[in-house]
Amino acid sequence: MNQLKKAPARSKFNLLRQICNQIPVHEVSKIARATGAEKKSRTITPWSHVVSLLYGQLTHSIGLNDLCDSLQLHSGPLASIRGATPPSRNGLSHANRERPAEMAEQLFWRTLEHLRTQSPGFAAGKARGPAFRFKLPIHVVDTTVLELVANCLDWAKHRRRKAAAKTHMRLNLQSLLPNFVLVDTAGEHDNKRARELCAGIKSGEIVLFDKGYVDFGHLKDLDARGAFFVTRAKENMDYEVVKKMPQSKDDQILRDEVVRLSNANQPAPELMRRIVAIVKVDGQEREMTFLTNHLQWSPRSVADLYRCRWQIEVFFKQIKQTLQLADFLGHNASAVRWQVWTALLVYVLLRYLSYLSKWPHSFTRLFTILRAVLWSKLDLLRLLASYGTAKGSFRNLARPEQAYFPGFL
């Protein structure tokens, strides 16, 4: 049986308050005034609204009644969190529907910037996986689909009988922190958002994305800016071979050639590397074709870089299986966006606490421990430092070929 190595120290504040204290003081009220959310406040203040949604994420509340009843039962300890008050069901529903979700979005970015400023090491991250030899910043772009209830969500109609929202993200591979997030409906193709997602990438930096984001005009813009990309080639790409590169000693590299698009009128980088390699995915070997505008990297480096793109898929699996992104508290666009941005805020807060405490175990275990003792008055960092007997390396993300939850095959 797992036991604490030593009893964690007591604290004057409950754990929920210690988590909320990572959000800069007065930031919520400033953003509420700037976005107009304060004018739409009725019985629930903007701060109480934010704390309520944070609590809903941390406890996996499955509905408004579940969330509001729980906070009402803990109204005393809740009041110690900068005067937060428990909302009524109708009050919280109205706040999610009427208050602009831009407030939650701005709060996420300002809190993330605040934590980066407080702890530069948190933002710097570390080299991960096959990309350990690359010293340049590496960005990973991908999207995840959140399934919704079609008969309630006309704004998110995706297919005939389905509704969905998409979260597009650019993740920094070294720090595993978002650099750009876009929450929208699922009706538009991914490549329509590629330029927005990559707008902040600078010269010399590397971006990785799947073929769903391939737009040759966008690839040309990246190349002109001096940014490097690695992606997968589409099966119907019409190209001509300009030069065949020397045969690699790696028997997993099948072809390596410099190509250009056959249609000279189509905007695209003048030259690109096309590499065909055997890559192991979920224990199975698959043939994949990669594209990059870097003509000097070894073909193995290109294949290894693309493997790093799978980190964002593990990231999405992590937040969707751990945080509350399955049961939504509202059926309108604003409520869904509030919940998605709050989930991302909780992720960043917990990642920051894991950084401060040098947490060596999984993100899932961190989440479940804190969820169990949210109202306890224990010192948060000492609790994390003392909990658990298993030793090992920092495992906030599993290997891409593995499912995230321990024991899940």
Side-chain angles (χ1 to χ4, degrees), residues 359-392:
W359 179 251
H361 311 294
S362 70
F363 180 83
T364 302
R365 191 177 186 190
L366 170 66
F367 176 85
T368 53
I369 288 170
L370 296 181
R371 180 179 63 178
V373 290
L374 273 181
W375 298 112
S376 300
K377 291 187 175 182
L378 301 172
D379 186 280
L380 197 158
L381 295 182
R382 291 191 182 183
L383 171 68
L384 298 182
S386 64
Y387 198 93
T389 57
K391 296 182 179 180

Side-chain angles (χ1 to χ4, degrees), residues 242-259:
V242 176
K243 175 184 176 183
K244 289 191 175 182
M245 304 296 285
Q247 181 63 40
S248 173
K249 295 180 181 180
D250 189 340
D251 59 2
Q252 301 295 300
I253 304 299
L254 304 183
R255 285 190 294 280
D256 183 7
E257 47 203 22
V258 178
V259 303

